[in-house]
CSV table of all heavy atoms in Angstrom, one decimal:
chain,number,residue,atom,x,y,z
A,85,GLN,N,-39.6,34.7,14.4
A,85,GLN,CA,-40.7,35.5,13.8
A,85,GLN,C,-40.1,36.7,13.2
A,85,GLN,O,-39.1,37.3,13.6
A,85,GLN,CB,-41.7,35.9,14.9
A,85,GLN,CG,-42.6,34.7,15.3
A,85,GLN,CD,-43.6,35.2,16.3
A,85,GLN,OE1,-43.3,36.0,17.2
A,85,GLN,NE2,-44.9,34.7,16.1
A,86,ASP,N,-40.8,37.1,12.1
A,86,ASP,CA,-40.4,38.4,11.5
A,86,ASP,C,-41.0,39.6,12.2
A,86,ASP,O,-40.4,40.7,12.2
A,86,ASP,CB,-40.8,38.4,10.0
A,86,ASP,CG,-40.0,37.4,9.2
A,86,ASP,OD1,-38.9,37.1,9.6
A,86,ASP,OD2,-40.5,37.0,8.1
A,87,LYS,N,-42.2,39.4,12.7
A,87,LYS,CA,-42.9,40.6,13.4
A,87,LYS,C,-42.3,40.7,14.8
A,87,LYS,O,-42.5,39.8,15.6
A,87,LYS,CB,-44.4,40.3,13.4
A,87,LYS,CG,-45.0,40.4,12.0
A,87,LYS,CD,-46.5,40.2,12.1
A,87,LYS,CE,-47.2,40.3,10.8
A,87,LYS,NZ,-48.7,40.1,10.9
A,88,PRO,N,-41.7,41.9,15.1
A,88,PRO,CA,-41.2,42.0,16.5
A,88,PRO,C,-42.4,42.3,17.4
A,88,PRO,O,-43.4,42.9,17.1
A,88,PRO,CB,-40.3,43.3,16.4
A,88,PRO,CG,-40.8,44.0,15.2
A,88,PRO,CD,-41.4,43.0,14.2
A,89,THR,N,-42.2,41.9,18.7
A,89,THR,CA,-43.2,42.2,19.7
A,89,THR,C,-42.7,43.4,20.5
A,89,THR,O,-41.7,44.0,20.2
A,89,THR,CB,-43.3,41.0,20.6
A,89,THR,OG1,-42.0,40.7,21.2
A,89,THR,CG2,-43.8,39.7,19.9
A,90,ALA,N,-43.5,43.7,21.5
A,90,ALA,CA,-43.2,44.9,22.4
A,90,ALA,C,-41.8,44.6,23.0
A,90,ALA,O,-41.5,43.5,23.4
A,90,ALA,CB,-44.3,45.1,23.4
A,91,ALA,N,-41.1,45.7,23.2
A,91,ALA,CA,-39.7,45.5,23.7
A,91,ALA,C,-39.7,45.0,25.1
A,91,ALA,O,-38.8,44.2,25.5
A,91,ALA,CB,-39.0,46.9,23.7
A,92,ASN,N,-40.7,45.4,25.9
A,92,ASN,CA,-40.7,44.9,27.3
A,92,ASN,C,-41.8,43.8,27.5
A,92,ASN,O,-42.1,43.5,28.7
A,92,ASN,CB,-41.0,46.1,28.3
A,92,ASN,CG,-39.9,47.0,28.3
A,92,ASN,OD1,-38.7,46.7,28.0
A,92,ASN,ND2,-40.2,48.3,28.5
A,93,GLY,N,-42.4,43.3,26.5
A,93,GLY,CA,-43.5,42.3,26.7
A,93,GLY,C,-42.9,40.9,26.8
A,93,GLY,O,-41.8,40.6,26.3
A,94,PRO,N,-43.6,40.0,27.4
A,94,PRO,CA,-43.1,38.6,27.6
A,94,PRO,C,-43.1,37.9,26.3
A,94,PRO,O,-43.9,38.2,25.4
A,94,PRO,CB,-44.1,38.0,28.6
A,94,PRO,CG,-45.4,38.8,28.4
A,94,PRO,CD,-44.9,40.2,28.1
A,95,PRO,N,-42.2,36.9,26.1
A,95,PRO,CA,-42.2,36.2,24.8
A,95,PRO,C,-43.4,35.2,24.7
A,95,PRO,O,-43.9,34.8,25.7
A,95,PRO,CB,-40.9,35.4,24.9
A,95,PRO,CG,-40.7,35.2,26.4
A,95,PRO,CD,-41.2,36.5,27.0
A,96,LYS,N,-43.8,35.0,23.5
A,96,LYS,CA,-44.9,34.0,23.3
A,96,LYS,C,-44.4,32.6,23.3
A,96,LYS,O,-43.3,32.3,22.8
A,96,LYS,CB,-45.6,34.3,21.9
A,96,LYS,CG,-46.2,35.7,21.9
A,96,LYS,CD,-46.9,35.9,20.5
A,96,LYS,CE,-47.6,37.3,20.5
A,96,LYS,NZ,-48.3,37.5,19.2
A,97,ASP,N,-45.2,31.7,23.9
A,97,ASP,CA,-44.8,30.3,24.0
A,97,ASP,C,-45.3,29.6,22.7
A,97,ASP,O,-45.9,30.2,21.8
A,97,ASP,CB,-45.4,29.7,25.2
A,97,ASP,CG,-46.9,29.9,25.3
A,97,ASP,OD1,-47.5,30.2,24.3
A,97,ASP,OD2,-47.4,29.7,26.5
A,98,ASP,N,-44.9,28.3,22.6
A,98,ASP,CA,-45.3,27.5,21.4
A,98,ASP,C,-46.8,27.4,21.3
A,98,ASP,O,-47.3,27.3,20.2
A,98,ASP,CB,-44.6,26.2,21.5
A,98,ASP,CG,-43.1,26.3,21.4
A,98,ASP,OD1,-42.6,27.3,20.9
A,98,ASP,OD2,-42.4,25.3,21.9
A,99,ALA,N,-47.5,27.3,22.4
A,99,ALA,CA,-49.0,27.1,22.3
A,99,ALA,C,-49.6,28.3,21.7
A,99,ALA,O,-50.5,28.2,20.8
A,99,ALA,CB,-49.6,26.9,23.7
A,100,GLN,N,-49.1,29.5,22.0
A,100,GLN,CA,-49.7,30.7,21.4
A,100,GLN,C,-49.3,30.8,19.9
A,100,GLN,O,-50.1,31.2,19.1
A,100,GLN,CB,-49.1,32.0,22.1
A,100,GLN,CG,-49.6,32.1,23.5
A,100,GLN,CD,-49.0,33.3,24.2
A,100,GLN,OE1,-47.8,33.5,24.0
A,100,GLN,NE2,-49.7,34.0,25.0
A,101,GLU,N,-48.1,30.3,19.5
A,101,GLU,CA,-47.7,30.3,18.1
A,101,GLU,C,-48.6,29.3,17.3
A,101,GLU,O,-49.0,29.6,16.2
A,101,GLU,CB,-46.2,29.9,18.0
A,101,GLU,CG,-45.3,30.9,18.6
A,101,GLU,CD,-45.3,32.2,17.9
A,101,GLU,OE1,-45.8,32.3,16.7
A,101,GLU,OE2,-44.9,33.3,18.5
A,102,ASP,N,-48.9,28.2,17.9
A,102,ASP,CA,-49.7,27.2,17.2
A,102,ASP,C,-51.1,27.7,17.0
A,102,ASP,O,-51.9,27.2,16.1
A,102,ASP,CB,-49.7,25.9,18.0
A,102,ASP,CG,-48.3,25.2,18.0
A,102,ASP,OD1,-47.5,25.6,17.2
A,102,ASP,OD2,-48.1,24.4,18.9
A,103,ALA,N,-51.6,28.6,17.9
A,103,ALA,CA,-53.0,29.1,17.8
A,103,ALA,C,-53.1,30.2,16.7
A,103,ALA,O,-54.2,30.6,16.5
A,103,ALA,CB,-53.4,29.6,19.2
A,104,LYS,N,-52.0,30.5,16.1
A,104,LYS,CA,-52.1,31.6,15.1
A,104,LYS,C,-52.8,31.1,13.8
A,104,LYS,O,-52.8,29.9,13.5
A,104,LYS,CB,-50.7,32.1,14.7
A,104,LYS,CG,-50.0,32.8,15.8
A,104,LYS,CD,-48.6,33.1,15.4
A,104,LYS,CE,-48.6,34.1,14.3
A,104,LYS,NZ,-47.3,34.5,13.8
A,105,PRO,N,-53.5,31.9,13.0
A,105,PRO,CA,-54.1,31.5,11.8
A,105,PRO,C,-53.2,30.8,10.8
A,105,PRO,O,-51.9,31.1,10.9
A,105,PRO,CB,-54.7,32.8,11.2
A,105,PRO,CG,-54.8,33.7,12.4
A,105,PRO,CD,-53.6,33.3,13.3
A,106,ALA,N,-53.7,30.0,10.0
A,106,ALA,CA,-52.9,29.3,9.0
A,106,ALA,C,-52.2,30.2,8.1
A,106,ALA,O,-51.1,29.9,7.5
A,106,ALA,CB,-53.7,28.2,8.3
A,107,GLU,N,-52.8,31.3,7.8
A,107,GLU,CA,-52.2,32.2,6.8
A,107,GLU,C,-50.9,32.9,7.3
A,107,GLU,O,-50.2,33.5,6.5
A,107,GLU,CB,-53.2,33.3,6.4
A,107,GLU,CG,-53.7,34.2,7.5
A,107,GLU,CD,-55.0,33.6,8.1
A,107,GLU,OE1,-55.2,32.4,7.9
A,107,GLU,OE2,-55.8,34.3,8.8
A,108,ASP,N,-50.7,32.8,8.6
A,108,ASP,CA,-49.4,33.4,9.1
A,108,ASP,C,-48.3,32.5,9.1
A,108,ASP,O,-47.2,32.8,9.6
A,108,ASP,CB,-49.7,34.0,10.5
A,108,ASP,CG,-50.7,35.1,10.5
A,108,ASP,OD1,-50.8,35.7,9.5
A,108,ASP,OD2,-51.3,35.4,11.6
A,109,ASP,N,-48.5,31.2,8.7
A,109,ASP,CA,-47.4,30.2,8.8
A,109,ASP,C,-46.2,30.6,7.9
A,109,ASP,O,-45.1,30.3,8.2
A,109,ASP,CB,-47.9,28.9,8.3
A,109,ASP,CG,-48.9,28.3,9.3
A,109,ASP,OD1,-48.9,28.8,10.5
A,109,ASP,OD2,-49.6,27.3,9.0
A,110,GLU,N,-46.4,31.3,6.8
A,110,GLU,CA,-45.3,31.7,5.9
A,110,GLU,C,-44.4,32.7,6.6
A,110,GLU,O,-43.3,32.9,6.1
A,110,GLU,CB,-45.8,32.2,4.6
A,110,GLU,CG,-46.6,33.5,4.7
A,110,GLU,CD,-48.1,33.2,4.9
A,110,GLU,OE1,-48.5,32.1,5.3
A,110,GLU,OE2,-48.9,34.2,4.8
A,111,GLU,N,-44.8,33.3,7.7
A,111,GLU,CA,-44.0,34.3,8.3
A,111,GLU,C,-43.0,33.7,9.3
A,111,GLU,O,-42.2,34.4,9.8
A,111,GLU,CB,-44.9,35.4,9.0
A,111,GLU,CG,-45.8,36.1,8.1
A,111,GLU,CD,-46.6,37.2,8.8
A,111,GLU,OE1,-46.4,37.3,10.1
A,111,GLU,OE2,-47.4,37.8,8.2
A,112,ILE,N,-43.2,32.4,9.6
A,112,ILE,CA,-42.3,31.8,10.5
A,112,ILE,C,-41.0,31.4,9.8
A,112,ILE,O,-41.0,30.7,8.8
A,112,ILE,CB,-43.0,30.5,11.2
A,112,ILE,CG1,-44.2,31.0,11.9
A,112,ILE,CG2,-42.0,29.8,12.1
A,112,ILE,CD1,-45.0,29.8,12.6
A,113,VAL,N,-39.9,31.8,10.4
A,113,VAL,CA,-38.6,31.5,9.8
A,113,VAL,C,-37.8,30.5,10.8
A,113,VAL,O,-37.9,30.7,12.0
A,113,VAL,CB,-37.8,32.7,9.6
A,113,VAL,CG1,-36.4,32.4,9.0
A,113,VAL,CG2,-38.5,33.7,8.7
A,114,TRP,N,-37.2,29.5,10.3
A,114,TRP,CA,-36.4,28.6,11.1
A,114,TRP,C,-34.9,29.0,11.0
A,114,TRP,O,-34.4,29.3,10.0
A,114,TRP,CB,-36.6,27.1,10.6
A,114,TRP,CG,-38.0,26.7,10.7
A,114,TRP,CD1,-38.9,26.8,9.7
A,114,TRP,CD2,-38.6,26.0,11.8
A,114,TRP,NE1,-40.1,26.2,10.1
A,114,TRP,CE2,-39.9,25.7,11.4
A,114,TRP,CE3,-38.2,25.6,13.0
A,114,TRP,CZ2,-40.9,25.1,12.2
A,114,TRP,CZ3,-39.1,25.0,13.9
A,114,TRP,CH2,-40.4,24.8,13.5
A,115,GLU,N,-34.3,28.9,12.2
A,115,GLU,CA,-32.8,29.2,12.3
A,115,GLU,C,-32.1,28.2,13.2
A,115,GLU,O,-32.7,27.6,14.0
A,115,GLU,CB,-32.7,30.6,12.8
A,115,GLU,CG,-33.2,30.8,14.2
A,115,GLU,CD,-32.9,32.2,14.7
A,115,GLU,OE1,-32.2,33.0,14.0
A,115,GLU,OE2,-33.3,32.5,15.9
A,116,GLU,N,-30.8,28.2,13.0
A,116,GLU,CA,-30.0,27.3,13.9
A,116,GLU,C,-29.6,28.1,15.1
A,116,GLU,O,-29.1,29.2,15.0
A,116,GLU,CB,-28.7,26.8,13.2
A,116,GLU,CG,-29.0,25.8,12.1
A,116,GLU,CD,-27.7,25.3,11.5
A,116,GLU,OE1,-26.6,25.9,11.8
A,116,GLU,OE2,-27.7,24.3,10.8
A,117,ASP,N,-29.8,27.5,16.3
A,117,ASP,CA,-29.3,28.1,17.6
A,117,ASP,C,-28.1,27.4,18.0
A,117,ASP,O,-28.2,26.2,18.5
A,117,ASP,CB,-30.4,28.0,18.6
A,117,ASP,CG,-30.1,28.8,19.8
A,117,ASP,OD1,-28.9,29.2,20.0
A,117,ASP,OD2,-31.0,29.1,20.7
A,118,ARG,N,-27.0,28.0,17.8
A,118,ARG,CA,-25.7,27.3,18.2
A,118,ARG,C,-25.3,27.5,19.6
A,118,ARG,O,-24.2,27.0,20.0
A,118,ARG,CB,-24.6,27.9,17.3
A,118,ARG,CG,-24.8,27.6,15.8
A,118,ARG,CD,-23.7,28.3,14.9
A,118,ARG,NE,-23.9,28.0,13.5
A,118,ARG,CZ,-23.1,27.1,12.9
A,118,ARG,NH1,-22.1,26.5,13.6
A,118,ARG,NH2,-23.3,26.8,11.6
A,119,VAL,N,-26.2,28.1,20.4
A,119,VAL,CA,-25.9,28.2,21.8
A,119,VAL,C,-26.7,27.3,22.7
A,119,VAL,O,-26.2,26.6,23.6
A,119,VAL,CB,-26.1,29.7,22.3
A,119,VAL,CG1,-25.9,29.9,23.8
A,119,VAL,CG2,-25.2,30.6,21.5
A,120,SER,N,-28.0,27.3,22.5
A,120,SER,CA,-28.9,26.5,23.3
A,120,SER,C,-28.6,25.0,23.2
A,120,SER,O,-28.3,24.5,22.2
A,120,SER,CB,-30.3,26.8,22.9
A,120,SER,OG,-31.2,26.0,23.7
A,121,GLU,N,-28.7,24.3,24.4
A,121,GLU,CA,-28.5,22.9,24.5
A,121,GLU,C,-29.8,22.2,25.0
A,121,GLU,O,-29.8,21.1,25.5
A,121,GLU,CB,-27.4,22.6,25.4
A,121,GLU,CG,-26.0,23.0,24.8
A,121,GLU,CD,-24.9,22.6,25.7
A,121,GLU,OE1,-25.1,22.1,26.8
A,121,GLU,OE2,-23.7,22.8,25.3
A,122,GLU,N,-30.9,22.9,24.9
A,122,GLU,CA,-32.2,22.3,25.3
A,122,GLU,C,-32.6,21.2,24.4
A,122,GLU,O,-32.6,21.3,23.2
A,122,GLU,CB,-33.3,23.4,25.3
A,122,GLU,CG,-34.6,22.9,25.8
A,122,GLU,CD,-35.7,24.0,25.8
A,122,GLU,OE1,-35.3,25.1,25.4
A,122,GLU,OE2,-36.8,23.7,26.1
A,123,GLY,N,-32.8,20.0,25.0
A,123,GLY,CA,-33.2,18.8,24.2
A,123,GLY,C,-32.0,18.1,23.6
A,123,GLY,O,-32.2,17.2,22.8
A,124,ALA,N,-30.8,18.4,24.0
A,124,ALA,CA,-29.6,17.8,23.4
A,124,ALA,C,-29.5,16.4,23.9
A,124,ALA,O,-29.9,16.0,25.0
A,124,ALA,CB,-28.4,18.6,23.8
A,125,ILE,N,-28.9,15.5,23.1
A,125,ILE,CA,-28.7,14.1,23.4
A,125,ILE,C,-27.2,13.9,23.4
A,125,ILE,O,-26.5,14.2,22.5
A,125,ILE,CB,-29.3,13.2,22.3
A,125,ILE,CG1,-30.8,13.4,22.2
A,125,ILE,CG2,-29.0,11.7,22.6
A,125,ILE,CD1,-31.5,12.6,21.1
A,126,TRP,N,-26.7,13.4,24.6
A,126,TRP,CA,-25.3,13.2,24.8
A,126,TRP,C,-25.0,11.7,24.7
A,126,TRP,O,-25.3,11.0,25.6
A,126,TRP,CB,-24.9,13.8,26.2
A,126,TRP,CG,-25.1,15.2,26.3
A,126,TRP,CD1,-26.3,15.8,26.7
A,126,TRP,CD2,-24.2,16.3,26.1
A,126,TRP,NE1,-26.2,17.2,26.7
A,126,TRP,CE2,-24.9,17.5,26.4
A,126,TRP,CE3,-22.9,16.4,25.8
A,126,TRP,CZ2,-24.3,18.7,26.3
A,126,TRP,CZ3,-22.3,17.6,25.7
A,126,TRP,CH2,-23.0,18.8,25.9
A,127,PRO,N,-24.4,11.3,23.6
A,127,PRO,CA,-24.2,9.8,23.4
A,127,PRO,C,-23.1,9.2,24.3
A,127,PRO,O,-23.1,8.0,24.5
A,127,PRO,CB,-23.8,9.7,21.9
A,127,PRO,CG,-23.1,11.1,21.6
A,127,PRO,CD,-23.8,12.1,22.5
A,128,ILE,N,-22.2,10.0,24.9
A,128,ILE,CA,-21.1,9.5,25.7
A,128,ILE,C,-21.4,10.0,27.1
A,128,ILE,O,-21.4,11.2,27.4
A,128,ILE,CB,-19.8,9.9,25.2
A,128,ILE,CG1,-19.6,9.5,23.8
A,128,ILE,CG2,-18.7,9.2,26.1
A,128,ILE,CD1,-18.2,9.9,23.2
Side-chain angles (χ1 to χ4, degrees):
Q85 287 183 317
D86 290 338
K87 292 182 178 181
T89 58
N92 294 329
K96 295 183 179 181
D97 55 17
D98 293 339
Q100 292 174 323
E101 294 295 339
D102 295 338
K104 294 178 62 178
E107 58 268 21
D108 293 340
D109 290 344
E110 64 272 11
E111 298 182 3
I112 298 179
V113 180
W114 299 90
E115 65 175 355
E116 288 185 350
D117 189 344
R118 295 174 176 259
V119 176
S120 176
E121 294 181 353
E122 182 181 358
I125 302 174
W126 300 83
I128 306 178

